[in-house]
Amino acid sequence: MELSPKDCLKKAILDTQEKVRDYESHAKNIDDQEISSCFKKFAEEEGHQAAELQELLDKCDN
């Protein structure tokens, strides 16, 4: 079964949001500041990707 573009966007958003949560959790649970900062940066980058995907999904809904 092939997913529609809208379904692909929804799945990608959920996957990206999960990565954000994972990276934020890692950042909080790691004492090494350099590694923690790296995970914080990754969470922020994934957050930007999730927002961009959401914008595309919103365009599909219009």
Side-chain angles (χ1 to χ4, degrees), residues 1-61:
M1 179 175 157
E2 213 170 299
L3 296 175
S4 70
K6 190 173 178 177
D7 290 334
C8 289
L9 284 169
K10 288 178 181 180
K11 181 178 179 341
I13 290 168
L14 291 175
D15 291 346
T16 304
Q17 290 171 335
E18 185 175 352
K19 285 183 182 180
V20 170
R21 286 189 296 273
D22 288 346
Y23 288 142
E24 287 175 341
S25 176
H26 295 328
K28 290 176 186 174
N29 295 323
I30 293 176
D31 293 332
D32 184 297
Q33 187 59 40
E34 183 178 8
I35 296 171
S36 178
S37 292
C38 186
F39 280 123
K40 287 178 187 176
K41 181 183 77 167
F42 290 166
E44 186 175 325
E45 290 169 354
E46 290 288 340
H48 290 299
Q49 290 179 18
E52 190 172 340
L53 290 166
Q54 185 63 54
E55 287 177 14
L56 291 170
L57 181 61
D58 292 344
K59 288 181 184 177
C60 288
D61 288 338

